[in-house]
Amino acid sequence: MSSQNFRKPEFSRELRLGLVVYGGVSLAIYMNGVCREFYNAVRGRGIYKLVKALTDSDIVVDILSGTSAGGINGVLLSYALTNSSQDEVIDFENFAQIWRENGNIRKLMHQPSLSQGKNDGESILDGKGYYQDALAKAFEQGQINKKKAPSDEWVSSFNELDLFVTGTDVIGRVDTVFDDTGRVIDLKDHRTIFHLKHRQGRKEPFNPNLNPNHSTVKDTYQALAKLCRITSCFPVA
């Protein structure tokens, strides 16, 4: 018995979601699964097709923010959403392999050097040589493994998405304030916020095929991977 694919109706409402994706080492794979469910909700897969029908609503994720592992998952979700269309998709479920395979602490650590002093001053974890390249490869594989969108999806289209990712400015910015007695107080702020704006057809920072300033496809992969590295770094990493 063949199942019938019903055409997506025109819904009267739109449910717009803003996500704060938690970080934390142990939450990385868990939050990746949560992001996968929101990806499926936007794509109208499985139970989310029924949710859309019962609520007469499209479901759109248009604001995301995250730090550390949450920042990485936020970048991955933004990348998958903005590079998927009605006809083809970058399936978010494939990004779970980043945490399962590349998140192994033994792989992340710098290899000990036999040459005395060679690794002096380097961090314990190999952020630039392994971590960043593994993420860049994941973005590249996402494009390579693009596939035809399932015919039974009820996709909620969107034209805008804003991603906020935090980082740490080691040097910091000093602001001078005065207390009630007139005493000078210097306050140092180490917070840095990266704001990536997706505007369909105008500004698409997650799309490697749009190359502003003569950048290459691989430049986009490396830029997104470096952003992931920045948000998840700490002194020893």
Side-chain angles (χ1 to χ4, degrees), residues 111-119:
Q111 297 301 313
S113 174
L114 298 178
S115 302
Q116 185 176 3
K118 181 179 178 181
N119 289 334

Side-chain angles (χ1 to χ4, degrees), residues 13 46 54 69 73 75-76 88 129 132 135 148 156 159 176 235:
R13 298 186 297 178
L54 292 176
N73 282 320
V75 174
L76 293 173
E88 57 182 3
Q132 182 174 323
L135 285 162
K148 185 178 179 181
S156 297
N159 297 319
T176 301

Side-chain angles (χ1 to χ4, degrees), residues 40-88:
N40 290 337
V42 175
R43 299 297 305 181
R45 296 179 176 179
I47 189 65
Y48 299 107
K49 181 187 291 186
L50 177 61
V51 172
K52 290 182 177 182
L54 292 176
T55 60
D56 189 23
S57 303
D58 275 304
I59 300 176
V60 173
V61 175
D62 61 356
I63 298 179
L64 294 101
S65 66
T67 300
S68 191
I72 296 175
N73 282 320
V75 174
L76 293 173
L77 179 56
S78 300
Y79 184 79
L81 286 173
T82 57
N83 283 286
S84 297
S85 65
Q86 296 281 352
D87 302 319
E88 57 182 3

Side-chain angles (χ1 to χ4, degrees), residues 75-110:
V75 174
L76 293 173
L77 179 56
S78 300
Y79 184 79
L81 286 173
T82 57
N83 283 286
S84 297
S85 65
Q86 296 281 352
D87 302 319
E88 57 182 3
V89 296
I90 291 180
D91 212 324
F92 187 82
E93 66 180 24
N94 296 331
F95 287 135
Q97 291 300 113
I98 294 176
W99 301 112
R100 295 193 185 109
E101 302 296 332
N102 303 113
N104 188 322
I105 189 63
R106 293 183 179 179
K107 293 181 179 180
L108 288 168
M109 293 181 67
H110 268 295

Side-chain angles (χ1 to χ4, degrees), residues 136 140 208 216-223:
E140 182 178 11
T216 66
V217 171
K218 290 189 180 296
D219 288 337
T220 301
Y221 300 143
Q222 284 293 334

Side-chain angles (χ1 to χ4, degrees), residues 124-199:
I124 297 174
L125 304 184
D126 188 2
K128 184 177 182 180
Y130 171 78
Y131 181 41
Q132 182 174 323
D133 286 344
L135 285 162
K137 185 176 180 180
F139 290 120
E140 182 178 11
Q141 287 298 315
Q143 290 289 336
I144 293 174
N145 296 329
K146 251 185 176 181
K147 59 185 181 181
K148 185 178 179 181
S151 60
D152 59 344
E153 289 185 330
W154 280 6
V155 183
S156 297
S157 59
F158 63 95
N159 297 319
E160 298 183 359
L161 184 145
D162 289 79
L163 172 68
F164 299 87
V165 174
T166 63
T168 302
D169 181 352
V170 177
I171 298 175
R173 299 176 301 279
V174 177
D175 294 321
T176 301
V177 298
F178 299 89
D179 64 12
D180 293 339
T181 65
R183 181 177 300 175
V184 176
I185 301 175
D186 289 333
L187 300 177
K188 182 172 283 190
D189 184 10
H190 295 275
R191 183 181 62 171
T192 299
I193 299 177
F194 298 88
H195 182 190
L196 276 65
K197 300 179 181 180
H198 168 81
R199 303 293 184 265

